[in-house]
Amino acid sequence: MPEQQDTFEPASAATPADTPPENTADAALSVEDRLQQAERKAAEHHDAWLRAKADAENIRRRAQEDVTKAHKFAVEGFSQELLAVRDSLEAALGVTSATVESMHSGVELTLRQLTTAFEKFAVKEVNPIGEKFDPHRHQAMTMVESDQPANTVVQVFQKGYLLHDRVLRPALVSVAKAPDA
């Protein structure tokens, strides 16, 4: 049986060198179009990036303003509570014919107002008499011989104060020491 040879080549198998010049121009236009599309997309992405950057900067600036306002007006509520205490003190000074009893009751009322304001804003009194000396909350002024255990607070010269368990002012105290033998 003799061998047959196929000499038929389909048109789709043409090599790029065989393509007519028109197709090259179309390919060039296609590349130019694709380049323009890529440039448009790049410009869109750049614009979106600039907007996102501006938004982030605005958010940062607003947050900084909020922090500044928070620092500036942090004591606003506490200050408002203290206004009632000041009003009471001014009213007491304005009375010309006050008796000792009326002044005493007015001072008690004013102290209650101040205590209420302190409680509302978590300002706690430190009156450590009889407690073990704590150098984080107390400041020892003297050490005295006492029958109490050593390092026990035996006298408070000035009360201390805490704000949310943070020392505003340590209590000034006298601390027991063991008697000399």
Side-chain angles (χ1 to χ4, degrees):
M1 198 168 190
E3 285 186 11
Q4 280 188 326
Q5 291 185 352
D6 284 335
T7 58
F8 175 77
E9 289 186 2
S12 62
T15 60
D18 295 337
T19 51
E22 299 172 356
N23 290 345
T24 308
D26 288 343
L29 287 177
S30 174
V31 169
E32 287 177 11
D33 289 341
R34 285 188 283 164
L35 177 62
Q36 287 175 353
Q37 287 176 351
E39 286 175 345
R40 277 194 302 270
K41 279 188 177 182
E44 289 173 10
H45 289 297
H46 182 71
D47 185 52
W49 174 77
L50 286 176
R51 289 178 190 276
K53 183 179 175 185
D55 286 345
E57 183 63 27
N58 287 339
I59 290 169
R60 188 200 60 76
R61 183 185 47 79
R62 279 191 225 114
Q64 183 63 37
E65 288 173 0
D66 290 346
V67 168
T68 301
K69 286 179 184 176
H71 285 286
K72 188 175 182 179
F73 298 111
V75 295
E76 182 177 12
F78 187 65
S79 300
Q80 288 175 343
E81 292 293 321
L82 291 182
L83 291 177
V85 175
R86 181 183 172 114
D87 292 343
S88 295
L89 290 172
E90 287 177 345
L93 290 174
V95 175
T96 56
S97 61
T99 64
V100 173
E101 293 84 23
S102 68
M103 286 296 272
H104 188 268
S105 66
V107 169
E108 282 180 341
L109 175 65
T110 304
L111 181 59
R112 270 187 258 130
Q113 287 176 323
L114 186 60
T115 302
T116 301
F118 280 5
E119 288 172 356
K120 188 173 181 178
F121 289 93
V123 177
K124 297 176 187 167
E125 184 179 282
V126 176
N127 189 5
I129 196 139
E131 295 177 9
K132 184 167 175 58
F133 176 73
D134 180 357
H136 300 290
R137 294 182 177 213
H138 313 136
Q139 182 175 346
M141 302 303 290
T142 63
M143 291 188 79
V144 295
E145 291 182 4
S146 174
D147 56 349
Q148 299 232 358
N151 293 327
T152 301
V153 175
V154 292
Q155 184 179 5
V156 177
F157 298 113
Q158 185 179 58
K159 295 175 188 174
Y161 290 91
L162 303 174
L163 175 62
H164 296 285
D165 296 323
R166 184 177 183 183
V167 176
L168 285 175
R169 180 177 80 188
L172 302 180
V173 299
S174 179
V175 180
K177 68 177 181 178
D180 290 334

